[in-house]
Amino acid sequence: MIARALRWLMLLQVLAALGLAWLLWQAGVRPTALALLLGVLGVLLLRALIVARNFWQSRRLAGEPAPQRLEWTAAARLFAGELGANLRTSSWGMLHPRLSTAGAPGKGMLPVLLIHGYVCNRGFWAPMSCQLARAGVAHGAVDLEPVGAGIDDFVPAVEQAIAALLARAGAGQVVIVAHSMGGLVARAYLRRHGTARVARVITIGTPHHGTALARLAPGSNARQMSRPGGQPNAWLAQLAADETAPVRALITSIYSYHDNIVAPQDSARLPGARNSAYAGLGHVALASDARVLHQVLSEITIISEVGAVLLAPHGA
């Protein structure tokens, strides 16, 4: 569904670029290749302005300045990295939603279920999937549909995906890696089904306490991620109240001090979980940054090794 919508959006962008190029050509811009180039740059400028608007709103609504201030060169890299990540995911990755195939299986590695965020699909995970495949980690993904449904409505799809992945990998538990809203879906799954089949949950850029920018988005799930009056939505508050300390201890929350979607940015910090913060990364770029990918793979490896030790026969 998302892939089809994005293909139409891409077509509109191509038509807009051609239309702008035609207007420039009519105005006397020559050669034709220059008019076409300027048309494409016009569309890219519009995309850049949307990303810039998100950064501006997230800083304005954050209230507190980021703990780590960026020099202008680092701020430029932050913006360019987030724009590039947006273009890659929305203009290619999610248009072709497929995962990489793992090579030689990593010995004793737990399988990984990838859960995307708001208005995305499994194609969002292309960089992470490549990393997992190179490490020989069996993995799968779930597409959260319909896109505007309540977060609890996605739990059955996660349950089915976990069952299918465990059967395919011949394992007893999975590691869940989730981006943005996907982290809330993972927590909703744990609330309904418990932790028996989940060894670890790693959330990336998840608004655990909501985000002020959600008020601008449509859908029941967006309302659940909102912060009316500067406080987490009632659904988020109830989710937190329902969680126990052992459940929180299963979660790692990776986030950025400079997230352009989660505002305030420390909304991604989850008490009782292992929290890991980065600087100079945007919301989408977090999930493909080399440092984050390395941390995720390290955690998967560690929890897999710990699980193997615990399951080994006594004295082995």
PDB file of all heavy atoms in Angstrom, residues 119-148:
ATOM      1  N   VAL A 119       3.899   5.443   8.603  1.00  0.00           N
ATOM      2  CA  VAL A 119       3.785   5.614   7.148  1.00  0.00           C
ATOM      3  C   VAL A 119       5.051   5.138   6.428  1.00  0.00           C
ATOM      4  O   VAL A 119       5.630   5.845   5.598  1.00  0.00           O
ATOM      5  CB  VAL A 119       3.470   7.085   6.774  1.00  0.00           C
ATOM      6  CG1 VAL A 119       3.037   7.174   5.315  1.00  0.00           C
ATOM      7  CG2 VAL A 119       2.363   7.646   7.639  1.00  0.00           C
ATOM      8  N   CYS A 120       5.489   3.942   6.763  1.00  0.00           N
ATOM      9  CA  CYS A 120       6.628   3.319   6.087  1.00  0.00           C
ATOM     10  C   CYS A 120       6.259   1.885   5.715  1.00  0.00           C
ATOM     11  O   CYS A 120       5.133   1.446   5.930  1.00  0.00           O
ATOM     12  CB  CYS A 120       7.868   3.326   6.995  1.00  0.00           C
ATOM     13  SG  CYS A 120       8.559   4.959   7.305  1.00  0.00           S
ATOM     14  N   ASN A 121       7.219   1.156   5.177  1.00  0.00           N
ATOM     15  CA  ASN A 121       7.067  -0.279   4.959  1.00  0.00           C
ATOM     16  C   ASN A 121       8.428  -0.943   5.150  1.00  0.00           C
ATOM     17  O   ASN A 121       9.407  -0.294   5.523  1.00  0.00           O
ATOM     18  CB  ASN A 121       6.461  -0.596   3.580  1.00  0.00           C
ATOM     19  CG  ASN A 121       7.340  -0.134   2.421  1.00  0.00           C
ATOM     20  OD1 ASN A 121       8.551   0.048   2.551  1.00  0.00           O
ATOM     21  ND2 ASN A 121       6.735   0.059   1.266  1.00  0.00           N
ATOM     22  N   ARG A 122       8.502  -2.246   4.892  1.00  0.00           N
ATOM     23  CA  ARG A 122       9.731  -2.982   5.165  1.00  0.00           C
ATOM     24  C   ARG A 122      10.923  -2.497   4.340  1.00  0.00           C
ATOM     25  O   ARG A 122      12.074  -2.716   4.712  1.00  0.00           O
ATOM     26  CB  ARG A 122       9.512  -4.475   4.928  1.00  0.00           C
ATOM     27  CG  ARG A 122       9.278  -4.880   3.483  1.00  0.00           C
ATOM     28  CD  ARG A 122       9.005  -6.359   3.360  1.00  0.00           C
ATOM     29  NE  ARG A 122       7.839  -6.756   4.136  1.00  0.00           N
ATOM     30  CZ  ARG A 122       7.662  -7.960   4.662  1.00  0.00           C
ATOM     31  NH1 ARG A 122       8.591  -8.886   4.504  1.00  0.00           N
ATOM     32  NH2 ARG A 122       6.571  -8.240   5.346  1.00  0.00           N
ATOM     33  N   GLY A 123      10.653  -1.813   3.232  1.00  0.00           N
ATOM     34  CA  GLY A 123      11.735  -1.277   2.433  1.00  0.00           C
ATOM     35  C   GLY A 123      12.575  -0.250   3.165  1.00  0.00           C
ATOM     36  O   GLY A 123      13.712   0.025   2.774  1.00  0.00           O
ATOM     37  N   PHE A 124      12.029   0.312   4.242  1.00  0.00           N
ATOM     38  CA  PHE A 124      12.782   1.259   5.068  1.00  0.00           C
ATOM     39  C   PHE A 124      14.057   0.625   5.600  1.00  0.00           C
ATOM     40  O   PHE A 124      15.055   1.311   5.838  1.00  0.00           O
ATOM     41  CB  PHE A 124      11.896   1.733   6.230  1.00  0.00           C
ATOM     42  CG  PHE A 124      12.607   2.606   7.233  1.00  0.00           C
ATOM     43  CD1 PHE A 124      12.683   3.971   7.042  1.00  0.00           C
ATOM     44  CD2 PHE A 124      13.203   2.054   8.360  1.00  0.00           C
ATOM     45  CE1 PHE A 124      13.347   4.780   7.955  1.00  0.00           C
ATOM     46  CE2 PHE A 124      13.870   2.856   9.280  1.00  0.00           C
ATOM     47  CZ  PHE A 124      13.944   4.220   9.072  1.00  0.00           C
ATOM     48  N   TRP A 125      14.030  -0.706   5.798  1.00  0.00           N
ATOM     49  CA  TRP A 125      15.112  -1.398   6.486  1.00  0.00           C
ATOM     50  C   TRP A 125      16.227  -1.878   5.572  1.00  0.00           C
ATOM     51  O   TRP A 125      17.057  -2.691   6.001  1.00  0.00           O
ATOM     52  CB  TRP A 125      14.538  -2.599   7.239  1.00  0.00           C
ATOM     53  CG  TRP A 125      13.696  -2.235   8.406  1.00  0.00           C
ATOM     54  CD1 TRP A 125      12.339  -2.398   8.529  1.00  0.00           C
ATOM     55  CD2 TRP A 125      14.140  -1.655   9.640  1.00  0.00           C
ATOM     56  NE1 TRP A 125      11.917  -1.951   9.757  1.00  0.00           N
ATOM     57  CE2 TRP A 125      12.999  -1.488  10.463  1.00  0.00           C
ATOM     58  CE3 TRP A 125      15.394  -1.260  10.121  1.00  0.00           C
ATOM     59  CZ2 TRP A 125      13.078  -0.946  11.739  1.00  0.00           C
ATOM     60  CZ3 TRP A 125      15.469  -0.719  11.398  1.00  0.00           C
ATOM     61  CH2 TRP A 125      14.322  -0.567  12.189  1.00  0.00           C
ATOM     62  N   ALA A 126      16.306  -1.406   4.338  1.00  0.00           N
ATOM     63  CA  ALA A 126      17.318  -1.919   3.405  1.00  0.00           C
ATOM     64  C   ALA A 126      18.742  -1.890   3.967  1.00  0.00           C
ATOM     65  O   ALA A 126      19.450  -2.905   3.910  1.00  0.00           O
ATOM     66  CB  ALA A 126      17.239  -1.162   2.081  1.00  0.00           C
ATOM     67  N   PRO A 127      19.218  -0.770   4.543  1.00  0.00           N
ATOM     68  CA  PRO A 127      20.603  -0.780   5.079  1.00  0.00           C
ATOM     69  C   PRO A 127      20.774  -1.761   6.233  1.00  0.00           C
ATOM     70  O   PRO A 127      21.777  -2.482   6.296  1.00  0.00           O
ATOM     71  CB  PRO A 127      20.813   0.667   5.538  1.00  0.00           C
ATOM     72  CG  PRO A 127      19.821   1.466   4.752  1.00  0.00           C
ATOM     73  CD  PRO A 127      18.636   0.575   4.615  1.00  0.00           C
ATOM     74  N   MET A 128      19.811  -1.805   7.139  1.00  0.00           N
ATOM     75  CA  MET A 128      19.890  -2.732   8.266  1.00  0.00           C
ATOM     76  C   MET A 128      19.847  -4.175   7.783  1.00  0.00           C
ATOM     77  O   MET A 128      20.584  -5.046   8.277  1.00  0.00           O
ATOM     78  CB  MET A 128      18.735  -2.479   9.237  1.00  0.00           C
ATOM     79  CG  MET A 128      18.738  -3.366  10.482  1.00  0.00           C
ATOM     80  SD  MET A 128      19.991  -2.884  11.675  1.00  0.00           S
ATOM     81  CE  MET A 128      19.282  -1.345  12.296  1.00  0.00           C
ATOM     82  N   SER A 129      19.000  -4.453   6.796  1.00  0.00           N
ATOM     83  CA  SER A 129      18.890  -5.799   6.258  1.00  0.00           C
ATOM     84  C   SER A 129      20.203  -6.259   5.637  1.00  0.00           C
ATOM     85  O   SER A 129      20.619  -7.411   5.813  1.00  0.00           O
ATOM     86  CB  SER A 129      17.755  -5.859   5.223  1.00  0.00           C
ATOM     87  OG  SER A 129      17.641  -7.144   4.670  1.00  0.00           O
ATOM     88  N   CYS A 130      20.874  -5.366   4.913  1.00  0.00           N
ATOM     89  CA  CYS A 130      22.173  -5.713   4.325  1.00  0.00           C
ATOM     90  C   CYS A 130      23.180  -6.059   5.413  1.00  0.00           C
ATOM     91  O   CYS A 130      23.944  -7.021   5.287  1.00  0.00           O
ATOM     92  CB  CYS A 130      22.690  -4.549   3.484  1.00  0.00           C
ATOM     93  SG  CYS A 130      21.815  -4.315   1.929  1.00  0.00           S
ATOM     94  N   GLN A 131      23.180  -5.275   6.497  1.00  0.00           N
ATOM     95  CA  GLN A 131      24.105  -5.528   7.593  1.00  0.00           C
ATOM     96  C   GLN A 131      23.827  -6.877   8.243  1.00  0.00           C
ATOM     97  O   GLN A 131      24.748  -7.651   8.525  1.00  0.00           O
ATOM     98  CB  GLN A 131      23.975  -4.402   8.632  1.00  0.00           C
ATOM     99  CG  GLN A 131      24.934  -4.483   9.799  1.00  0.00           C
ATOM    100  CD  GLN A 131      26.269  -3.834   9.497  1.00  0.00           C
ATOM    101  OE1 GLN A 131      26.526  -3.458   8.354  1.00  0.00           O
ATOM    102  NE2 GLN A 131      27.118  -3.707  10.487  1.00  0.00           N
ATOM    103  N   LEU A 132      22.570  -7.173   8.485  1.00  0.00           N
ATOM    104  CA  LEU A 132      22.204  -8.448   9.101  1.00  0.00           C
ATOM    105  C   LEU A 132      22.540  -9.618   8.187  1.00  0.00           C
ATOM    106  O   LEU A 132      23.015 -10.665   8.640  1.00  0.00           O
ATOM    107  CB  LEU A 132      20.711  -8.451   9.447  1.00  0.00           C
ATOM    108  CG  LEU A 132      20.262  -7.454  10.512  1.00  0.00           C
ATOM    109  CD1 LEU A 132      18.742  -7.452  10.630  1.00  0.00           C
ATOM    110  CD2 LEU A 132      20.887  -7.767  11.868  1.00  0.00           C
ATOM    111  N   ALA A 133      22.287  -9.445   6.899  1.00  0.00           N
ATOM    112  CA  ALA A 133      22.576 -10.516   5.951  1.00  0.00           C
ATOM    113  C   ALA A 133      24.070 -10.830   5.901  1.00  0.00           C
ATOM    114  O   ALA A 133      24.468 -12.000   5.861  1.00  0.00           O
ATOM    115  CB  ALA A 133      22.061 -10.131   4.554  1.00  0.00           C
ATOM    116  N   ARG A 134      24.898  -9.791   5.906  1.00  0.00           N
ATOM    117  CA  ARG A 134      26.345 -10.011   5.884  1.00  0.00           C
ATOM    118  C   ARG A 134      26.813 -10.754   7.135  1.00  0.00           C
ATOM    119  O   ARG A 134      27.789 -11.513   7.083  1.00  0.00           O
ATOM    120  CB  ARG A 134      27.085  -8.673   5.762  1.00  0.00           C
ATOM    121  CG  ARG A 134      27.080  -8.091   4.368  1.00  0.00           C
ATOM    122  CD  ARG A 134      28.126  -7.015   4.216  1.00  0.00           C
ATOM    123  NE  ARG A 134      27.831  -5.862   5.079  1.00  0.00           N
ATOM    124  CZ  ARG A 134      27.144  -4.803   4.685  1.00  0.00           C
ATOM    125  NH1 ARG A 134      26.658  -4.749   3.463  1.00  0.00           N
ATOM    126  NH2 ARG A 134      26.947  -3.799   5.512  1.00  0.00           N
ATOM    127  N   ALA A 135      26.121 -10.519   8.250  1.00  0.00           N
ATOM    128  CA  ALA A 135      26.483 -11.192   9.498  1.00  0.00           C
ATOM    129  C   ALA A 135      25.848 -12.572   9.618  1.00  0.00           C
ATOM    130  O   ALA A 135      26.062 -13.267  10.618  1.00  0.00           O
ATOM    131  CB  ALA A 135      26.070 -10.333  10.694  1.00  0.00           C
ATOM    132  N   GLY A 136      25.055 -12.962   8.625  1.00  0.00           N
ATOM    133  CA  GLY A 136      24.424 -14.268   8.662  1.00  0.00           C
ATOM    134  C   GLY A 136      23.262 -14.354   9.623  1.00  0.00           C
ATOM    135  O   GLY A 136      22.945 -15.442  10.117  1.00  0.00           O
ATOM    136  N   VAL A 137      22.612 -13.225   9.897  1.00  0.00           N
ATOM    137  CA  VAL A 137      21.484 -13.192  10.833  1.00  0.00           C
ATOM    138  C   VAL A 137      20.177 -13.362  10.065  1.00  0.00           C
ATOM    139  O   VAL A 137      19.845 -12.548   9.192  1.00  0.00           O
ATOM    140  CB  VAL A 137      21.453 -11.866  11.626  1.00  0.00           C
ATOM    141  CG1 VAL A 137      20.256 -11.840  12.576  1.00  0.00           C
ATOM    142  CG2 VAL A 137      22.749 -11.680  12.398  1.00  0.00           C
ATOM    143  N   ALA A 138      19.431 -14.407  10.379  1.00  0.00           N
ATOM    144  CA  ALA A 138      18.108 -14.587   9.782  1.00  0.00           C
ATOM    145  C   ALA A 138      17.202 -13.459  10.265  1.00  0.00           C
ATOM    146  O   ALA A 138      17.188 -13.130  11.451  1.00  0.00           O
ATOM    147  CB  ALA A 138      17.532 -15.942  10.181  1.00  0.00           C
ATOM    148  N   HIS A 139      16.463 -12.871   9.347  1.00  0.00           N
ATOM    149  CA  HIS A 139      15.607 -11.760   9.757  1.00  0.00           C
ATOM    150  C   HIS A 139      14.389 -11.660   8.855  1.00  0.00           C
ATOM    151  O   HIS A 139      14.372 -12.169   7.734  1.00  0.00           O
ATOM    152  CB  HIS A 139      16.389 -10.442   9.754  1.00  0.00           C
ATOM    153  CG  HIS A 139      16.982 -10.087   8.429  1.00  0.00           C
ATOM    154  ND1 HIS A 139      18.118 -10.708   7.919  1.00  0.00           N
ATOM    155  CD2 HIS A 139      16.613  -9.169   7.491  1.00  0.00           C
ATOM    156  CE1 HIS A 139      18.422 -10.182   6.749  1.00  0.00           C
ATOM    157  NE2 HIS A 139      17.520  -9.255   6.457  1.00  0.00           N
ATOM    158  N   GLY A 140      13.394 -10.999   9.377  1.00  0.00           N
ATOM    159  CA  GLY A 140      12.166 -10.755   8.640  1.00  0.00           C
ATOM    160  C   GLY A 140      11.639  -9.395   9.032  1.00  0.00           C
ATOM    161  O   GLY A 140      12.211  -8.702   9.885  1.00  0.00           O
ATOM    162  N   ALA A 141      10.545  -8.986   8.406  1.00  0.00           N
ATOM    163  CA  ALA A 141       9.963  -7.677   8.687  1.00  0.00           C
ATOM    164  C   ALA A 141       8.454  -7.777   8.599  1.00  0.00           C
ATOM    165  O   ALA A 141       7.905  -8.721   8.018  1.00  0.00           O
ATOM    166  CB  ALA A 141      10.489  -6.628   7.710  1.00  0.00           C
ATOM    167  N   VAL A 142       7.797  -6.803   9.174  1.00  0.00           N
ATOM    168  CA  VAL A 142       6.349  -6.749   9.136  1.00  0.00           C
ATOM    169  C   VAL A 142       5.937  -5.411   8.536  1.00  0.00           C
ATOM    170  O   VAL A 142       6.593  -4.394   8.763  1.00  0.00           O
ATOM    171  CB  VAL A 142       5.755  -6.927  10.559  1.00  0.00           C
ATOM    172  CG1 VAL A 142       6.256  -5.846  11.502  1.00  0.00           C
ATOM    173  CG2 VAL A 142       4.231  -6.955  10.526  1.00  0.00           C
ATOM    174  N   ASP A 143       4.891  -5.408   7.724  1.00  0.00           N
ATOM    175  CA  ASP A 143       4.332  -4.172   7.189  1.00  0.00           C
ATOM    176  C   ASP A 143       3.106  -3.808   8.025  1.00  0.00           C
ATOM    177  O   ASP A 143       2.165  -4.605   8.137  1.00  0.00           O
ATOM    178  CB  ASP A 143       3.932  -4.337   5.724  1.00  0.00           C
ATOM    179  CG  ASP A 143       5.146  -4.458   4.812  1.00  0.00           C
ATOM    180  OD1 ASP A 143       6.135  -3.750   5.067  1.00  0.00           O
ATOM    181  OD2 ASP A 143       5.099  -5.260   3.866  1.00  0.00           O
ATOM    182  N   LEU A 144       3.117  -2.619   8.617  1.00  0.00           N
ATOM    183  CA  LEU A 144       2.045  -2.187   9.513  1.00  0.00           C
ATOM    184  C   LEU A 144       0.950  -1.503   8.703  1.00  0.00           C
ATOM    185  O   LEU A 144       1.101  -0.357   8.262  1.00  0.00           O
ATOM    186  CB  LEU A 144       2.609  -1.238  10.576  1.00  0.00           C
ATOM    187  CG  LEU A 144       3.781  -1.788  11.406  1.00  0.00           C
ATOM    188  CD1 LEU A 144       4.275  -0.740  12.391  1.00  0.00           C
ATOM    189  CD2 LEU A 144       3.383  -3.070  12.131  1.00  0.00           C
ATOM    190  N   GLU A 145      -0.154  -2.202   8.521  1.00  0.00           N
ATOM    191  CA  GLU A 145      -1.281  -1.681   7.747  1.00  0.00           C
ATOM    192  C   GLU A 145      -2.592  -2.040   8.437  1.00  0.00           C
ATOM    193  O   GLU A 145      -2.671  -3.060   9.126  1.00  0.00           O
ATOM    194  CB  GLU A 145      -1.248  -2.253   6.326  1.00  0.00           C
ATOM    195  CG  GLU A 145      -0.035  -1.801   5.516  1.00  0.00           C
ATOM    196  CD  GLU A 145      -0.036  -2.351   4.098  1.00  0.00           C
ATOM    197  OE1 GLU A 145      -0.840  -3.258   3.813  1.00  0.00           O
ATOM    198  OE2 GLU A 145       0.757  -1.871   3.279  1.00  0.00           O
ATOM    199  N   PRO A 146      -3.628  -1.194   8.232  1.00  0.00           N
ATOM    200  CA  PRO A 146      -3.644   0.075   7.498  1.00  0.00           C
ATOM    201  C   PRO A 146      -2.841   1.151   8.219  1.00  0.00           C
ATOM    202  O   PRO A 146      -2.701   1.116   9.445  1.00  0.00           O
ATOM    203  CB  PRO A 146      -5.129   0.435   7.442  1.00  0.00           C
ATOM    204  CG  PRO A 146      -5.738  -0.264   8.619  1.00  0.00           C
ATOM    205  CD  PRO A 146      -4.952  -1.530   8.795  1.00  0.00           C
ATOM    206  N   VAL A 147      -2.306   2.093   7.453  1.00  0.00           N
ATOM    207  CA  VAL A 147      -1.308   3.013   7.988  1.00  0.00           C
ATOM    208  C   VAL A 147      -1.840   3.904   9.102  1.00  0.00           C
ATOM    209  O   VAL A 147      -1.072   4.343   9.965  1.00  0.00           O
ATOM    210  CB  VAL A 147      -0.720   3.886   6.862  1.00  0.00           C
ATOM    211  CG1 VAL A 147       0.056   3.033   5.878  1.00  0.00           C
ATOM    212  CG2 VAL A 147      -1.815   4.671   6.145  1.00  0.00           C
ATOM    213  N   GLY A 148      -3.123   4.190   9.120  1.00  0.00           N
ATOM    214  CA  GLY A 148      -3.673   5.083  10.137  1.00  0.00           C
ATOM    215  C   GLY A 148      -4.316   4.386  11.312  1.00  0.00           C
ATOM    216  O   GLY A 148      -4.952   5.037  12.146  1.00  0.00           O
TER     217      GLY A 148
END
